[in-house]
Amino acid sequence: MGRVLCIEIGLQQTKVCEMLVVRRGGKNVIYNCLRFDTPANSIEDGYIRDKERFANALREAIKNYHFRTNKVIFTISSTKIYTKEVVIPYVKENKINDVLLTNITEYLPFGISDYIISHSVLEHFKVGGLQKLRIMLLAMPESLAKNYYSLAELMGFEIESLDYSGNSMFQILRQINLRGTNAYIQMNERTTLISIINDRDLALQRTIAYGTNAIVQTLIESEYKGVKTELEAMRILRQENLLFGSEASYLKEAIQEREESGQMIETVSETLTYLIRSIGRVLDYYSSQEENRAIYQVYLLGTGTEIKGLKEHIKSELGINLHLLEQIDAIKVHKTAGDYINHPNEYIGCIGAVKQPIGFQPKDITREKEKKSSVAVSITIISACVIGALGVYWNGWMLINDAKNELKDANKLLDELPALENIKTSYEESMAQLSQVYELSTMTVNNNDALSRLIDLLEERLPTLVEVGSIQSGMESISFSVTVINKEAAANLILRLEDMKDVFSRVTISSLDDNEDEAGMNQIKLSINCFYSKSILLNQLTSQAEQLLSDVTDSVETYE
C-alpha cells in the first residue's frame, strides 16, 4: 500500500495523518499529522453536506505539508451505520458475506437494498468441538459511502478504503501489549464508544449516543463568557475546569444571573449523569457476563481527553481508576509527526484505519470492478486458447518438417556411405580422439559451471524474507551479501546454510552490520562465505561426462 492519508472528519475538527503502511510484520510509521476546524454546519451525522466548502478548507489546511500520496482512507463516525454481533459456523473468509446475506432478515430490522453490507471477524472459538466465528456485521447507507467518494473526486484523491470508527479503534487497540482485559472509553463529539478487549479479541463494543458536543451545547446555551459557537466552547473547555472542582461553581453563578439558570445547571448535570450511568451499565454488564475475566484497567480516549476535569469527573462518579493512554507501541512515530506527538489519543480513529479497514464501497463501483475483472479473465482465457491452438499447429508443422529433413539427410548419408572395410579403422580412430576430448573436458569443468543450479537450490532452501545483494563465485567457495529484518532471521539463515551439507562444507560470516532503512526500520546486513563440500557439483558433472562416453561406446560397439 505504501503511503496513505488517513482522514477523520469530525463535527468540530478534522484530523489528517500521513502514514507509511509497512508489510511483513513491521510497524506502520506516522509521518505527518494535523488538525483543523471543520467548517461550521458542513457535517451532519457523518454526511458532508457542503462538499465545496469543506474541500476548500481541507486544501488550505494541507497545502504546506507536501504529502507524497493521493491515496486516502476515510474513518467515518455516524449513527446511520448499523452494527450487530452475530455468531455463525466457521466458513472461509470469502464465504462469510454470503452466509450473512442468506440470514440477513434475522440480523437487520430493515431492508438492505439501500445499504452496503460488510463485516469484521472478531473471534474464532469452539463450542462442543465445532468451530464458530463471532462476527461484527455492519450496514452503511450507500448514500453515505457515495458522499465520501464524491468528496475524493473533488479533491483528486483515490479512495483506498472506507472504515467505521469503531473498527478503526479496535484494530489499533488490539495491537497494544496490555495484559488481561482492558476497557477503552472513546469519547467523540457526538458519540461515546466503549470497547472491552481481552487478549486482542473484542469482547464487547457499545455505542452511547452522547459525546462532548452535549457539554459544548450547554456552554453555548448558557452564553458562558459570551460563547456563541461550538469551536469557542471547545476552546474554553480545554482551558478551564468547568466539570470538576471550584471553577464549576463559577459557571453556576454566571448562569444563575439569568431567569432559567437553575434549569440549565440541571440540564448539564442530567446530560453528564446519563452518559456516566450508561458507561457504568456497560462495564457492569460485561462483569456480570464474564465473572472470570475482570477488567484490569480503564482508559479514556478521543476528544474527551482534552476537556479539562472530565477524566476526574468520570473517575469520581464511577469510582474507578481511569487512565489516559500515553503511548501506542504498535505505531512508529517519525519526528515530523507534528500534532500527534502531543495528542496521540486524538488520532486513534485515524491511525487504526490502515490495519484492516472494513472497506465499504458503493455497489456501482463494486460492479464496475467485477466487470473489469471478468473482462480481464475472459481476455486471458481467449488469449490462452488462441496461443494454445497456434502452438498445436506450429508443433505439428515442425514435426512434419523435421521428418522430411531427417529423411532427406538419411538418403544423403546412404549415398555417401563409405565401404564396409573402412568402418572399423574409422571407429578406432574416432574412439582415440573421443578419449582425448573426454580427458580435456574433465580438466575444464569446475564448480562455477553449476552456478545457475546452485542459485536455484539457494532460492529453494533459504527463508523467504532474505534479500540477496551481490554474489561472487570462486573455484572453492561462493560469497554473497544479504539483508534480513533482525538478528533472529540472520541466525535462521546461517542455520539453513549449514544444513546444506551436500553442497557446503563450511559457512563463515565476514561482516555483520545492524542499521535502519529510510523508513526507520531495523535491518541486518551480512557478508557470508560458503565453501564447497568435496567438489560435489564437479563430481556430478564429471559423472555425466563419463555416462555420455559410455553411451557413445556402447552405441558404436553395437553397430560393429
Side-chain angles (χ1 to χ4, degrees):
M1 185 183 295
R3 294 204 183 201
V4 65
L5 295 181
C6 302
I7 302 178
E8 184 179 22
I9 304 174
L11 190 66
Q12 296 158 14
Q13 286 195 319
T14 296
K15 306 173 186 72
V16 183
C17 281
E18 182 187 24
M19 298 189 66
L20 174 65
V21 182
V22 181
R23 299 301 186 187
R24 300 180 181 178
K27 293 182 179 181
N28 297 328
V29 184
I30 299 177
Y31 276 98
N32 292 288
C33 283
L34 68 128
R35 287 184 289 176
F36 65 93
D37 294 338
T38 304
N41 302 318
S42 61
I43 306 297
E44 181 184 352
D45 199 9
Y47 283 88
I48 309 165
R49 295 305 186 191
D50 192 340
K51 287 189 280 292
E52 284 284 355
R53 192 152 62 98
F54 179 82
N56 289 334
L58 179 55
R59 289 191 193 97
E60 183 66 23
I62 68 176
K63 67 180 182 180
N64 294 323
Y65 281 82
H66 306 293
F67 293 129
R68 293 166 56 183
T69 181
N70 69 335
K71 293 183 179 180
V72 63
I73 298 177
F74 286 107
T75 296
I76 304 173
S77 177
S78 172
T79 60
K80 304 296 184 182
I81 300 176
Y82 183 86
T83 64
K84 182 179 178 65
E85 289 186 21
V86 299
V87 175
I88 63 172
Y90 175 80
V91 293
K92 292 182 178 179
E93 173 64 30
N94 61 353
K95 300 294 183 183
I96 294 177
N97 244 33
D98 294 338
V99 174
L100 295 175
L101 291 173
T102 301
N103 303 285
I104 200 67
T105 55
E106 300 178 14
Y107 305 139
L108 301 181
F110 48 80
I112 64 170
S113 59
D114 297 327
Y115 283 80
I116 303 168
I117 305 301
S118 192
H119 69 274
S120 175
V121 178
L122 302 180
E123 182 184 11
H124 294 72
F125 65 98
K126 286 187 177 182
V127 176
L130 299 177
Q131 289 189 337
K132 301 282 186 178
L133 293 175
R134 189 160 64 89
I135 303 293
M136 178 68 77
L137 171 66
L138 301 103
M140 172 187 280
E142 188 173 16
S143 60
L144 182 57
K146 288 183 175 180
N147 186 257
Y148 281 82
Y149 269 81
S150 61
L151 173 65
E153 184 178 359
L154 193 62
M155 290 293 301
F157 288 153
E158 176 187 345
I159 289 188
E160 193 76 21
S161 188
L162 297 181
D163 199 18
Y164 166 59
S165 59
N167 180 68
S168 299
M169 175 183 176
F170 168 56
Q171 295 299 338
I172 190 64
L173 293 179
R174 75 187 306 187
Q175 300 177 64
I176 300 175
N177 296 321
L178 295 177
R179 63 178 182 176
T181 302
N182 298 278
Y184 303 90
I185 303 170
Q186 185 181 16
M187 194 170 181
N188 300 316
E189 294 170 343
R190 297 183 65 87
T191 61
T192 297
L193 184 67
I194 303 175
S195 301
I196 300 177
I197 300 177
N198 177 55
D199 295 333
R200 296 174 60 84
D201 289 327
L202 183 63
L204 182 70
Q205 190 173 76
R206 294 291 184 269
T207 300
I208 303 171
Y210 280 85
T212 59
N213 201 48
I215 308 172
V216 167
Q217 292 302 320
T218 299
L219 261 68
I220 294 174
E221 292 172 8
S222 69
E223 296 186 5
Y224 175 66
K225 290 190 176 181
V227 169
K228 294 182 180 180
T229 67
E230 294 172 343
L231 294 176
E232 291 174 354
M234 196 62 195
R235 289 191 183 99
I236 288 178
L237 287 171
R238 291 189 183 100
Q239 297 168 1
E240 300 183 26
N241 185 352
L242 303 179
L243 299 172
F244 188 80
S246 59
E247 288 179 298
S249 63
Y250 176 76
L251 173 62
K252 182 175 181 180
E253 293 174 2
I255 296 176
Q256 284 176 343
E257 294 177 0
R258 313 184 67 86
E259 292 182 1
E260 299 179 351
S261 59
Q263 183 179 355
M264 186 61 63
I265 286 293
E266 290 180 6
T267 301
V268 175
S269 178
E270 288 174 2
T271 300
L272 289 176
T273 299
Y274 176 83
L275 174 62
I276 292 171
R277 286 180 179 176
S278 297
I279 294 172
R281 282 196 294 269
V282 173
L283 298 179
D284 290 341
Y285 171 77
Y286 174 81
S287 297
S288 65
Q289 297 296 312
E290 301 286 347
E291 296 181 357
N292 297 327
R293 293 182 177 178
I295 295 175
Y296 181 69
Q297 297 284 9
V298 183
Y299 294 89
L300 181 64
L301 312 169
T303 306
T305 60
E306 296 204 341
I307 296 180
K308 197 171 184 179
L310 180 61
K311 180 174 78 74
E312 290 77 12
H313 185 72
I314 297 175
K315 179 179 178 180
S316 175
E317 291 293 317
L318 292 179
I320 61 174
N321 289 324
L322 189 62
H323 308 276
L324 297 180
L325 197 60
E326 299 297 338
Q327 60 181 2
I328 302 173
D329 296 332
I331 298 293
K332 187 168 184 177
V333 182
H334 196 267
K335 61 183 179 181
T336 61
D339 190 51
Y340 176 88
I341 296 174
N342 296 321
H343 305 280
N345 282 299
E346 284 286 294
Y347 291 90
I348 291 291
C350 267
I351 63 179
V354 299
K355 188 63 177 176
Q356 290 181 354
I358 295 298
F360 292 110
Q361 192 173 78
K363 297 174 185 176
D364 55 344
I365 294 178
T366 301
R367 285 192 294 268
E368 184 65 24
K369 288 186 176 181
E370 290 175 349
K371 182 179 178 181
K372 289 181 179 179
S373 176
S374 177
V375 170
V377 170
S378 299
I379 291 174
T380 301
I381 293 174
I382 293 172
S383 300
C385 291
V386 171
I387 293 172
L390 290 173
V392 171
Y393 172 79
W394 177 259
N395 187 57
W397 184 85
M398 289 296 293
L399 289 174
I400 293 173
N401 192 56
D402 289 344
K404 289 180 179 180
N405 291 332
E406 288 177 3
L407 178 60
K408 183 179 179 180
D409 293 340
N411 290 329
K412 184 178 180 180
L413 287 174
L414 286 174
D415 294 338
E416 298 175 353
L417 192 66
L420 186 61
E421 57 269 18
N422 296 328
I423 291 179
K424 183 175 182 180
T425 302
S426 298
Y427 160 69
E428 292 174 348
E429 293 176 353
S430 298
M431 285 301 298
Q433 293 176 357
L434 183 60
S435 178
Q436 293 176 1
V437 171
Y438 166 70
E439 293 295 330
L440 290 173
S441 66
T442 57
M443 294 173 63
T444 62
V445 177
N446 59 60
N447 287 314
N448 287 332
D449 293 339
L451 182 59
S452 177
R453 180 173 176 271
L454 177 58
I455 291 175
D456 293 339
L457 192 63
L458 290 173
E459 289 180 345
E460 175 184 344
R461 299 192 185 182
L462 293 189
T464 56
L465 297 180
V466 174
E467 179 181 342
V468 179
S470 62
I471 297 179
Q472 295 181 343
S473 178
M475 289 289 293
E476 302 297 330
S477 66
I478 182 171
S479 303
F480 48 90
S481 62
V482 298
T483 303
V484 295
I485 58 175
N486 53 40
K487 292 183 178 179
E488 289 77 7
N492 184 34
L493 169 63
I494 298 303
L495 290 175
R496 291 282 186 94
L497 291 171
E498 290 179 345
D499 284 340
M500 297 171 64
K501 299 184 184 300
D502 55 333
V503 180
F504 301 132
S505 63
R506 182 161 55 95
V507 177
T508 63
I509 301 173
S510 59
S511 68
L512 186 150
D513 296 324
D514 188 348
N515 51 34
E516 294 186 352
D517 61 15
E518 63 175 3
M521 305 299 299
N522 286 336
Q523 60 179 10
I524 306 296
K525 292 186 177 181
L526 306 93
S527 294
I528 302 174
N529 300 320
C530 300
F531 294 87
Y532 294 123
S533 176
K534 297 181 181 179
S535 299
I536 185 66
L537 300 177
L538 176 60
N539 292 341
Q540 291 177 357
L541 290 173
T542 304
S543 176
Q544 292 175 1
E546 291 174 346
Q547 182 62 43
L548 176 61
L549 178 62
S550 176
D551 291 343
V552 172
T553 303
D554 292 342
S555 177
V556 176
E557 288 176 350
T558 300
Y559 177 79
E560 186 182 32

